[in-house]
Amino acid sequence: ASEFHGGLRALTFVSQVVMKNPVLRPMMLFLKQFLLEEGVLNVKDKSGGMTSYALFVLCVNYLRQGGWLDSWTAQEVWQWGGIMRDFFDLYGNNLDFSTVGVSVNGVYGLGPAGLLHTGPCVIDDPVSPGRTSGRPGNLGQNMFRINDVQRAFQKGWHLMVRERLDVKRMLRVQWLEKFKSAADKQSEREMAWPKNYVLGADRTSCD
């Protein structure tokens, strides 16, 4: 946990949201691996890439904007390809991190000062306010490679829409084996990804 958010509060918040939104776990597994392969996942301090916690906030905001948040019906597995495609489109092609901040409750304008004194981008910590201002801590304050992150999201959209790749073929690692190892540690209800769906590729494309 960073100095701006308490690890226990963050863990509790994430667990509660994931239990209500089964698509979040596979989304995070896929996106973290994708960003890692693109070299923009923050795997060590001061690398300037996207952190897992900030990525989670982006995912929650995206689900809220799409009307999928807290809706098991809307998150049925056949929506998976479309959900990933539109996530890449939102954060790769449409959202301007230099003019708006992102929170789990939506996006908001940064005002005339833009990013002045806030950092390379603004992603609100959903559980902890700033230490002195009372405003949420900024998870993006050290994300100086946010432009590289956004280009990675643009690439993801291009691969799905222009090259028509499904999510399994977008990663260099063996997706199924990686997912199985994670699934062994979670209940089928938490994963919300039936085995017969994982083994089939017919519904992972964005068609």
Side-chain angles (χ1 to χ4, degrees), residues 186-199:
Q186 304 293 336
S187 69
E188 186 171 332
R189 176 180 175 84
E190 284 182 303
M191 299 303 296
W193 195 324
K195 292 180 180 179
N196 60 348
Y197 173 76
V198 175
L199 295 176

Side-chain angles (χ1 to χ4, degrees), residues 30 34 62 80-94 152-167 169-170 204-207:
F30 171 78
F34 180 78
Y62 163 71
W80 170 246
I83 285 175
M84 293 311 308
R85 175 199 62 206
D86 293 345
F87 176 93
F88 285 135
D89 189 34
L90 172 62
Y91 293 114
N93 301 325
N94 295 314
F153 290 149
Q154 290 171 351
K155 178 179 178 180
W157 179 85
H158 178 84
L159 290 174
M160 294 194 76
V161 175
R162 301 302 183 193
E163 299 189 23
R164 302 182 67 80
L165 295 184
D166 60 46
V167 292
R169 291 186 293 159
M170 290 174 64
T204 52
S205 70
C206 59
D207 291 342

Side-chain angles (χ1 to χ4, degrees), residues 59-69 71 74 83 86 90:
C59 287
V60 173
N61 170 65
Y62 163 71
L63 292 177
R64 182 180 297 280
Q65 287 198 32
W68 293 305
L69 192 66
S71 174
I83 285 175
D86 293 345
L90 172 62

Side-chain angles (χ1 to χ4, degrees), residues 6-52:
L8 182 58
R9 289 193 303 272
L11 179 61
T12 300
F13 172 77
V14 169
S15 299
Q16 290 173 344
V17 176
V18 167
M19 285 299 295
K20 296 179 181 179
N21 297 275
V23 76
L24 275 171
R25 193 179 300 279
M27 276 186 75
M28 287 293 295
L29 285 171
F30 171 78
L31 287 168
K32 286 175 64 176
Q33 183 61 36
F34 180 78
L35 294 181
L36 178 65
E37 294 183 3
E38 293 300 311
V40 292
L41 183 68
N42 187 27
V43 294
K44 58 182 179 180
D45 291 340
K46 300 181 180 179
S47 70
M50 176 68 66
T51 66
S52 297

